Amino acid sequence: EIVMTQSPATLSVSPGERATLSCRASQYIRDNLAWYQQKPGQAPRLLIYGASTRATGIPARFSGSGSGTDFTLTISSLESEDFALYYCQQYNKWPPVTFGQGTKVEMK
Amino acid sequence: QVHLVQSGGGVVQPGGSLRLSCAASGFSLGGYGMHWVRQAPGKGLEWVAVISYDGRDENHADSVKGRFIISRDTSNNTLFLQMNSLRPEDTAVYFCAKDRFTPKVGSRVRTTTGFDYWGQGTLVTVSS
């Protein structure tokens, strides 16, 4: 099973600032990685798939990069609705698909 | 417009059973793989099970294998998760999710490219 490790666990950012979230896979996963956003009491929402392709309706301030084992989700200028939990997911070698433990983006 | 509406869930004693349902609209279950994902209180996401678009293949996480069964009813466009021999560690919010990948009809390729639509989640509590 591929283990996904996200860092940091918590990121404190002010509105308007840039947020950079990291995700590392325990094995090579090409670009078979997705990012999700989850707000309290809600289901996750797909942000990015294929490591860098924005899902339908996702604002351009969200961008993904990386390939192989190291990946990054960048939020270029944080808006109030972006404070949430973010998960990465690998689907290169599955089942099972596996998720990272999450990064909480909180207001500084 | 795609919607996934979940029902079922609740409180059950250890060793008991429960069936979760996920009614899909806006697309056909016969065209996409479907998944169950769970989230224990205050914890991260854990994939539980998948059924292929053609219904010919199912896979379950090791943590639920032999106890949970994923299935579907294409005539009612509804996905199910039958949960037996429930344990306290199964306590979680359970989500159904649609696979983003669009397989070619007749394809035996089993792949995923992320989960693009999710149900609202339903809480399962296993406690005596």
Side-chain angles (χ1 to χ4, degrees):
Chain A
E1 174 176 316
I2 297 176
V3 176
M4 306 301 292
T5 303
Q6 292 185 241
S7 61
T10 304
L11 188 60
S12 298
V13 189
S14 299
E17 289 187 341
R18 184 185 195 89
T20 303
L21 289 67
S22 296
C23 176
R24 175 167 287 176
S26 62
Q27 302 176 28
Y28 178 79
I29 61 167
R30 290 203 314 171
D31 60 355
N32 292 317
L33 183 105
W35 288 94
Y36 297 86
Q37 177 193 67
Q38 187 180 33
K39 297 180 180 178
Q42 295 186 18
R45 176 175 72 145
L46 178 65
L47 298 175
I48 301 284
Y49 62 90
S52 60
T53 304
R54 277 188 303 278
T56 303
I58 301 304
R61 64 181 182 274
F62 291 93
S63 64
S65 63
S67 184
T69 60
D70 291 301
F71 302 86
T72 300
L73 174 69
T74 301
I75 312 171
S76 59
S77 178
L78 268 160
E79 299 195 4
S80 57
E81 63 262 32
D82 300 336
F83 293 99
L85 264 167
Y86 292 83
Y87 293 96
C88 61
Q89 174 205 43
Q90 72 79 24
Y91 49 83
N92 186 66
K93 187 177 178 182
W94 76 291
V97 298
T98 50
F99 295 88
Q101 79 280 20
T103 290
K104 181 181 180 181
V105 176
E106 66 175 22
M107 197 176 301
K108 192 173 185 179
Chain B
Q1 196 171 6
V2 172
H3 285 295
L4 296 171
V5 178
Q6 297 183 226
S7 59
V11 181
V12 62
Q13 291 188 339
S17 296
L18 218 50
R19 189 174 84 155
L20 305 183
S21 300
C22 173
S25 60
F27 72 102
S28 170
L29 290 188
Y32 296 88
M34 292 293 294
H35 302 261
W36 288 97
V37 175
R38 69 184 180 182
Q39 187 170 36
K43 302 296 185 182
L45 301 169
E46 179 188 14
W47 175 83
V48 173
V50 61
I51 186 165
S52 61
Y53 79 97
D54 55 11
R56 296 173 75 172
D57 294 306
E58 308 99 35
N59 271 286
H60 300 79
D62 287 347
S63 58
V64 306
K65 202 166 288 184
R67 301 187 299 122
F68 291 12
I69 300 172
I70 188 172
S71 65
R72 66 182 193 174
D73 177 352
T74 51
S75 63
N76 288 302
N77 220 31
T78 301
L79 178 74
F80 301 104
L81 184 68
Q82 178 66 42
M83 303 185 294
N84 301 321
S85 302
L86 281 159
R87 304 167 180 169
E89 56 264 35
D90 296 318
T91 294
V93 174
Y94 286 74
F95 298 99
C96 59
K98 172 186 167 292
D99 203 294
R100 200 189 130 308
F101 180 71
T102 305
K104 292 181 181 177
V105 174
S107 170
R108 290 306 307 276
V109 172
R110 303 298 183 229
T111 192
T112 177
T113 56
F115 306 163
D116 56 357
Y117 290 93
W118 295 64
Q120 81 277 18
T122 186
L123 177 62
V124 172
T125 302
V126 184
S127 174
S128 53

